[in-house]
Amino acid sequence: MPTLWLGRDVGQPADEGAARGANTGIDVDKLVTHAACIGMTGSGKTGLCIGLLEEVAAAGVPIVAIDPKGDLANLALDEPSPEAAAAWREGQAKWGLDAGGVAAWRAKVHTRLWTPGSEAGVGVNVLSMLAPPEAATDAETLRALLTGTVSALLGLVGIASDPVRTPAHVVLTRILGDAWTASESPTLELLVERLVAPPFKAVGVFPVAKFFPEDDRMDIAMRFNALLASPAFASWTTGAHLDVPAMLAPVAGKTVVNVFSIAHLSDAERHFFVGLLLERIAAWTRTLPGTHRLRALVFFDEIWGFLPPHPKNPPSKTPLLTLLKQARAVGVGVILATQNPVDIDYKALSNCGTWMVGRLQTKNDRDRVREGMGIMDAAEMDAILDGLGDRRFLLTGHGAPRTFVTRWTRVFLAGPLPRQRIRALLAAQVDPLVASLSRDVPPAAHRGTQDPAAVVAREARVTARIDKLTASYAKKVAAAEEKLRRATARSDEAKSRASSRQTEEWLNAGQTLLSFFGGRKKSLTTLATKRRQALDAGARVETLEGDVASAEAALAALRDELAAAAASARAEEGT
């Protein structure tokens, strides 16, 4: 059972030499019971997670990594930038990571960069999800695939749905399920046609027109039609299928790390794709025999928004909970990383057997982590967390709780990589999956009659300019994202309080009315107070919803500004 090297126990000599520093580790197979990596911005969480993924891949375990921020593409970097090379090599040397050891790791690991909705990396043909599953698929898996596929489709056109209560979801599930039963591979166009004119007369005991009126069906059909007509949607219809066994298969004997970069997608597109991917992974796990060994790992960097508490239910939530509850039995582990534990469903966190916790400032965040860990009291945890600095983490789940400093990574941590850099990295790789796609949708570096080496060099120059731009905006974007997260949390809390105030008002009004008819007098002052409190709570909700809208607009403006600057850099370089 290989041991994953995380760093050095805090309290060892200050020297960061390998002999003294390589003493914090966990057994790779322990990750079948899942893990959580939590820490506020700037705690060193990204470095810890990338180092952990390096170790898992070196142990021969394939990985699916979902990357909302763009940092995990660093796993494909061979060399640091010239400006940072000397300092980076010095840091590696202090941890005993010489050039030979790094090269040996690279010789065992193949990092595949996926960019759904873009041709920069490996694209994804999402319409392949409409094809029927294998005939041997069991009924439970079939239902899960149907539900997940329809939820993802509706989410893509801006409809949050409930598989049981939303008419659009029920009818589309029936349409797609009937097609699969008939061994059809329907197109999205065909689904739209059948949505407008369903090939069945009733849903349950009600006529279709009563259960899901024609105007409502046409509204959703028009949304899908607009999607099909959009030039941007074309990038979702070419590329690889989401074939989980194929993506996990070794490449030339190397263990594969699949990084799905989704930083460039809109929120609706992110939820659409992530839900789709996780449903496919969950369906695959149901085909596996039991084992106590780790056979594959799913890593999700910054889970905020994808696994929220009840009652929110994005397309990613159900398959993630399924993986956390069931996948351990077949050797598939899940690691969740976040800076916002209070915004994560507590049922998910309670399934994690390993915890790596960095700096956390708010009481709510600390309480949620302690609740999930279930092994430490507030005073003990606060004492430990108060003493954590940069790159220091608390590790639990492997003997007594211990604190450690994270090791240096083998790959260069360049921060989020723009799509142009990803395209250049992909062009330099030898990957059978990419080669099979290049006949139809080749990367930009292979198009036309230009010298591929010259194109890659030009892309690299654009490697460098956009990296600099991204770094200059990183703090602003992070601050805007944090402002939006806090505004959303305050708004959600105010909505809950307003609902409670309204309920109290109704109950008090009812009690006042009953007391009047019962001959007893109940103070109207109390009733007026409850009414005023309800109105105040409602007004606060409106104010906070305005704050959320302002934060969203500010974040969008920053991203647009960065995109415009990047486009200018590309235009100046002629790419």
Side-chain angles (χ1 to χ4, degrees), residues 230-310:
S230 170
F233 188 65
S235 59
W236 288 97
T237 63
T238 56
H241 294 187
L242 288 179
D243 183 335
V244 177
M247 74 173 67
L248 296 180
V251 172
K254 296 182 179 182
T255 302
V256 177
V257 179
N258 294 278
V259 175
F260 286 88
S261 180
I262 59 173
H264 58 284
L265 300 179
S266 68
D267 284 345
E269 290 172 331
R270 289 185 184 193
H271 285 287
F272 159 70
F273 176 73
V274 170
L276 193 63
L277 173 62
L278 291 173
E279 285 288 0
R280 266 45 188 179
I281 295 173
W284 168 70
T285 63
R286 296 187 183 99
T287 70
L288 301 174
T291 181
H292 296 297
R293 306 296 300 273
L294 186 68
R295 60 159 40 103
L297 181 72
V298 177
F299 174 76
F300 206 134
D301 190 22
E302 193 42 72
I303 196 72
W304 177 66
F306 294 93
L307 192 58
H310 180 77

Side-chain angles (χ1 to χ4, degrees), residues 129-210:
M129 69 183 176
L130 301 179
E134 296 179 0
T137 303
D138 63 89
E140 180 185 1
T141 299
L142 183 65
R143 286 194 298 271
L145 284 173
L146 276 171
T147 298
T149 300
V150 173
S151 294
L153 279 173
L154 290 173
L156 188 58
V157 292
I159 298 174
S161 60
D162 183 294
V164 176
R165 303 180 62 181
T166 304
H169 200 295
V170 174
V171 171
L172 275 173
T173 299
R174 169 79 178 273
I175 293 171
L176 184 58
D178 287 351
W180 285 0
T181 300
S183 298
E184 289 184 276
S185 295
T187 62
L188 187 53
E189 291 88 343
L190 182 62
L191 287 184
V192 172
E193 291 174 9
R194 292 180 179 177
L195 179 63
V196 174
F200 41 84
K201 295 182 178 180
V203 180
V205 299
F206 290 104
V208 171
K210 180 72 172 178

Side-chain angles (χ1 to χ4, degrees), residues 5-8 16 47-48 50-52 54-55 84-97 102 391 405-413:
W5 176 32
L6 302 181
R8 184 194 72 240
E16 291 188 343
L48 168 59
I50 287 181
L52 179 57
E54 288 179 348
E55 294 292 298
W88 191 258
R89 295 300 183 216
E90 181 181 351
Q92 288 182 322
K94 288 182 178 180
W95 284 89
L97 296 170
V102 173
R391 295 175 52 203
V405 57
T406 61
R407 67 166 177 81
W408 214 260
T409 58
R410 297 179 178 90
V411 300
F412 177 57
L413 301 184

Side-chain angles (χ1 to χ4, degrees), residues 267 304 479-489 547-549 551-552 555:
D267 284 345
W304 177 66
E481 288 176 339
E482 177 64 14
K483 187 174 182 179
L484 173 58
R485 184 193 74 81
R486 293 185 181 277
T488 302
D547 291 345
V548 170
E552 288 176 338
L555 179 57

Side-chain angles (χ1 to χ4, degrees), residues 114-118 121-128 234-242 260 273 276 437:
W114 298 76
T115 53
S118 167
V122 182
V124 178
N125 183 353
V126 297
L127 296 187
S128 64
S235 59
W236 288 97
T237 63
T238 56
H241 294 187
L242 288 179
F260 286 88
F273 176 73
L276 193 63
L437 298 175

